[in-house]
Amino acid sequence: SAVISQKPSRDICQRGTSLTIQCQVDSQVTMMFWYRQQPGQSLTLIATANQGSEATYESGFVIDKFPISRPNLTFSTLTVSNMSPEDSSIYLCSIPRTSYASGELFFGEGSRLTVL
Amino acid sequence: SQQGEEDPQALSIQEGENATMNCSYKTSINNLQWYRQNSGRGLVHLILIRSNEREKHSGRLRVTLDTSKKSSSLLITASRAADTASYFCATGGGTSYGKLTFGQGTILTVHP
């Protein structure tokens, strides 16, 4: 199985600030996926991070709020900008587990953000 | 409900008992997956069942799929305290790649 390291594992942030979450994978992958899990809720895909191109954002998520970098095939960052308490969530990085078509994913341990 | 809805939302049982969780979904699927999440941490893939399969086993896990009813069930037999977690079903894959649609999840508590 793949090893996915996320940093930070948790943080407490002030309203109006921005925080960058890092995701490091121990193997090269073309696509990486960023999910959000709001308190007591299920997971929602924020965007797909492709190496060498702009991230593809899902409906309701925009680049200005969640800029993503993908400088190489093993690393990605997600920034949560101008945070408000509504951004308090667990943010999870994931990669394909087998073939892309199966949709099976490996997940990182998540980054739990609390915005005051 | 989850694209799927999961049922029940919470389940509390004693060690050794079986736990059954249900998931319903709304659209046609390529496959359906089940994941476990311990204490708000990362998700762990448990099992995948394809749309042309009706039942699948993995260790103490048994998954069924009824595409006519757009529903699936996850059975954990002889549960252990370590099975305490949230369980999510998810649909997607195919041309959607990593875009999975998760259900709301079932919180399972297994008492020793």
Side-chain angles (χ1 to χ4, degrees), chain A residues 28-94:
Chain A
Q28 294 185 338
V29 290
T30 303
M31 290 183 177
M32 296 173 74
F33 309 100
W34 287 98
Y35 280 82
R36 180 178 74 180
Q37 185 179 26
Q38 294 178 298
Q41 301 296 314
S42 187
L43 282 78
T44 303
L45 181 64
I46 298 172
T48 300
N50 305 297
Q51 195 273 330
S53 64
E54 293 286 333
T56 303
Y57 289 84
E58 297 301 309
S59 176
F61 298 96
V62 295
I63 188 171
D64 289 346
K65 177 66 176 177
F66 297 101
I68 288 172
S69 78
R70 186 75 204 277
N72 57 54
L73 291 173
T74 63
F75 187 77
S76 179
T77 67
L78 169 74
T79 298
V80 186
S81 303
N82 188 26
M83 286 185 284
S84 67
E86 291 70 36
D87 294 318
S88 296
S89 297
I90 300 173
Y91 294 86
L92 299 116
C93 169
S94 65

Side-chain angles (χ1 to χ4, degrees), chain B residues 45-63:
Chain B
H45 181 271
L46 294 176
I47 194 167
L48 176 149
I49 186 166
R50 302 185 197 287
S51 59
N52 61 354
E53 296 177 311
R54 293 296 168 260
E55 186 171 312
K56 197 164 183 179
H57 297 255
S58 177
R60 294 185 294 114
L61 305 180
R62 174 182 163 236
V63 171

Side-chain angles (χ1 to χ4, degrees), chain B residues 1-5 23-32 51 54 64-72 89-91 101:
Chain B
S1 46
Q2 267 199 66
Q3 141 75 339
E5 294 185 2
C23 164
S24 61
Y25 56 92
K26 298 178 181 177
T27 62
S28 61
I29 60 172
N30 297 303
N31 59 54
L32 186 142
S51 59
R54 293 296 168 260
T64 62
L65 180 64
D66 186 335
T67 53
S68 67
K69 295 181 179 178
K70 291 187 168 57
S71 68
S72 174
C89 69
T91 57
T101 301

